[in-house]
Amino acid sequence: MDYKKMGIDLNQFMGSSSSIGAKRVTNVCIAFRVATEQNNRAGCFRALEMLEHEYCYLKNKLHELFQIEQQRALAAGVRYPVQNE
C-alpha cells in the first residue's frame, strides 16, 4: 500500500468535503489519514468502509436536496435543464 499517496489523496478529499460542509466525511478522512500515517492497513480498510458509507449517505442527501430545490423552482416557474439519471 502506498500510504503517502493515500494521505495526499485524503487531504484533497478532506478539503473538498470540508468546503461543502460535509463534516462526517471530513471526520472519517481524518481518521483515515491517521491510519495511513501509522501504516495501519486494517485501520485503512475500516476507514475506507466508513468513508464509502458516509459518501453514499451524503450523495443521497444531496440528491434529495436537489430534488426539493428543483420542485421549488418549478413551482415558482423557473425551468432548469433536466438531467437523465
Side-chain angles (χ1 to χ4, degrees):
M1 296 181 86
D2 188 346
Y3 293 105
K4 185 175 182 177
K5 171 127 175 50
M6 280 193 290
I8 291 168
D9 292 340
L10 281 167
N11 282 337
Q12 185 176 18
F13 198 63
M14 275 178 29
S16 299
S17 57
S18 180
S19 71
I20 63 166
K23 291 182 181 183
R24 290 168 52 160
V25 173
T26 302
N27 290 339
V28 173
C29 286
I30 291 168
F32 201 158
R33 188 176 60 193
V34 168
T36 64
E37 290 169 352
Q38 297 173 346
N39 295 343
N40 180 346
R41 185 180 177 106
C44 285
F45 281 117
R46 280 192 306 274
L48 182 60
E49 288 176 0
M50 290 171 45
L51 186 57
E52 181 180 17
H53 172 79
E54 292 301 334
Y55 170 78
C56 290
Y57 177 80
L58 175 63
K59 182 180 172 185
N60 289 334
K61 289 298 179 184
L62 286 173
H63 183 73
E64 290 174 17
L65 179 64
F66 290 139
Q67 284 182 323
I68 291 168
E69 176 58 22
Q70 188 175 34
Q71 290 171 359
R72 186 197 64 76
L74 288 173
V78 177
R79 296 268 181 215
Y80 291 117
V82 177
Q83 291 181 330
N84 295 330
E85 293 182 28

